[in-house]
Amino acid sequence: MRVPLHLPPALTSLGDFAFIDVETTGARPLEDRVTEIAIIRFHANGEQTRWQSLINPGIPIPTEIQALTGITNAMVRDAPDFFAVRDDVRRMLEGAVFVAHNARFDYGFIKNEFRRQQEAFTADVLCTVRLSRRLYPNATGHGLDAIITRHHLDGFDRHRAMGDTEATAAFVQDAADELSACTVAAAVRALLRTPSLPANLPADALQDIPDSPGVYLFYGINDMPIYIGKAKHLRERIRAHFSSDHMTPNDVRLSQEMRRIEWIPTAGEFGALLLEGQLIKERMPLHNVALRRREKQGFFTLVGGSDAPRLEWLPAAAMDTANGDLFGPFGDRSSAKKWLMYAAREHRLCDHQLGFSRPRTVGEPCFARQVGRCHGVCEGVESGTRYSERLLAALEPMRFPVWPYEADVVLEERDVANDRTDLLAFDRWCAMSGGVRLPFDGDVFRLLRRTIGKAGHTIRPLGPVHPIFASAAVVFSMHG
Ligand SMILES: [Zn+2]
């Protein structure tokens, strides 16, 4: 082991870094528990603090884990439980960047241990696997063993918390020696995407944002939100608004007007998407221009029979009145027309027939025909029936799918990491609220289509369902 460990000032000038490693009873943050924690905190002033403890997990350690870590049930029997050390752990981590190898693992476990004490914990997280990938893109492995071999960092007590923490810190130190401290600091800054806090927000405004999915609201000087957004990871998304390398002109404007942030966690993307839509509709924030465009969405519908087919535009709000098949959805009428022009060229369809132009005399060839791009339905060279078949083939990729269920369904969205479940109802590709089907929304449709049939979601019929069915994976019948 190399002593003393130190981090170069180029790095610590960015703030305090708490290197941490936890040993656990297994890999599942909700069921498994922490058996050992080690933390080395490198302070911005150059000092460092160390803390470590075995932790009584309150559940047995599986034999294979005991063999891997060398931490036995006997060793933790008299150790303090997490409750007893929680203040020490918080003191060591609070206000520092949380640094770990494969940090999601350690961060998830620490968060959950705090949650069991009814306490929240959040931190900026730096993963040294990602740091290694960024600094050494051509290296073959980024696991701790591979890094130890590559950087000749032998002698650490591997698989024990302090040994792995030291090895991780030694890696960062060695990379700074090898590549220069500035290179490592730049990579760390980029990975943390350190946001520049809007001038009118309190210094700790971004501190407590959870990393769960959800909806966030930015407020200006009064009580109306100026912006509402949704996120898969609230913390990351909100901070991205204020990261200098990602700021859009809109973000700059928001940043100047902002006085307050609010967030509402959800169990997943769906819950966030639906809640966002609902809140925007209710509160009409000034800067949510993009979302209001949803009202312009629509479909093509095919009318006129098979020998003289005609496409008509149908606004999404009127989709239930369609007699024929629907093709779409399209964001608005002009993007639908753009798509159709492209398809017309590709499939050699007729300008007159599609309504791009009008014949001045009966049987006048369309422009596409004149340049040899239409098969000649306009001149009577191609039969209406044949043309109709080809038109259908061209539209096929945009065919709006049939709702695959017999009735409304409930989708159970679950966030395992944050132990949260939302129940969301849908009918014919639309979300429902209070038993009422909401207007069609292309984003909901696309997400729903992607989700149906994917693992990790439970879908069941809406309505009074006996609790015995509540956990059954599939209790619906599909059409066809
Ligand atoms: Zn033509």
Side-chain angles (χ1 to χ4, degrees), residues 349-352 365-366 368-369 374 376-378:
L349 301 176
C350 177
D351 284 352
H352 286 342
C366 70
R369 178 67 183 163
C374 159
V377 69
C378 39

Side-chain angles (χ1 to χ4, degrees), residues 418-433:
N418 292 298
D419 196 19
R420 222 196 120 92
T421 303
D422 289 342
L423 295 177
L424 309 160
F426 298 93
D427 181 28
R428 286 162 291 159
W429 303 114
C430 296
M432 297 187 57
S433 173

Side-chain angles (χ1 to χ4, degrees), residues 150-377:
R150 208 160 60 235
H151 291 263
H152 312 291
L153 307 170
D154 314 309
F156 295 106
D157 191 6
R158 285 284 285 118
H159 299 298
R160 286 297 297 271
M162 189 49 91
D164 283 359
T165 304
E166 285 173 338
T168 305
F171 157 62
V172 176
Q173 180 180 346
D174 196 63
D177 288 347
E178 184 177 276
L179 304 171
S180 94
C182 289
T183 306
V184 174
V188 166
R189 239 196 335 263
L191 286 174
L192 290 174
R193 289 211 305 239
T194 315
S196 43
L197 196 66
N200 297 306
L201 284 184
D204 61 349
L206 305 181
Q207 206 72 69
D208 299 329
I209 304 171
D211 56 4
S212 82
V215 172
Y216 56 94
L217 303 92
F218 293 161
Y219 289 88
I221 39 171
N222 59 29
D223 280 342
M224 291 306 277
I226 51 177
Y227 186 84
I228 298 175
K230 66 170 164 60
K232 239 170 139 172
H233 303 281
L234 277 173
R235 192 178 173 83
E236 206 173 296
R237 181 70 196 91
I238 293 174
R239 297 169 70 99
H241 277 285
F242 314 114
S243 299
S244 41
D245 47 340
H246 286 80
M247 263 173 123
T248 64
N250 199 32
D251 286 334
V252 174
R253 214 165 36 242
L254 278 175
S255 176
Q256 286 160 355
E257 292 176 31
M258 243 171 92
R259 298 291 185 279
R260 188 161 63 86
I261 306 177
E262 243 176 53
W263 55 85
I264 308 168
T266 60
E269 268 186 285
F270 256 123
L273 182 63
L274 299 184
L275 187 59
E276 180 202 31
Q278 187 191 325
L279 288 174
I280 288 177
K281 216 158 286 153
E282 282 171 20
R283 309 209 192 160
M284 296 292 271
L286 208 61
H287 294 293
N288 283 90
V289 185
L291 231 109
R292 288 193 214 139
R293 293 198 199 108
R294 279 183 191 169
E295 285 155 27
K296 296 181 182 163
Q297 296 176 122
F299 299 86
F300 283 129
T301 168
L302 203 52
V303 296
S306 67
D307 48 345
R310 217 167 69 254
L311 286 176
E312 268 178 13
W313 176 252
L314 189 71
M319 64 187 281
D320 289 340
T321 67
N323 292 316
D325 295 345
L326 292 178
F327 301 92
F330 295 96
D332 57 25
R333 207 170 172 156
S334 93
S335 65
K337 189 176 175 189
K338 241 179 245 162
W339 179 85
L340 190 59
M341 287 172 93
Y342 171 81
R345 189 174 270 239
E346 189 91 328
H347 289 266
R348 304 182 157 267
L349 301 176
C350 177
D351 284 352
H352 286 342
Q353 208 287 324
L354 290 173
F356 294 157
S357 56
R358 240 181 254 274
R360 277 163 304 186
T361 56
V362 177
E364 185 200 34
C366 70
F367 176 74
R369 178 67 183 163
Q370 291 171 40
V371 298
R373 256 196 347 246
C374 159
H375 283 199
V377 69

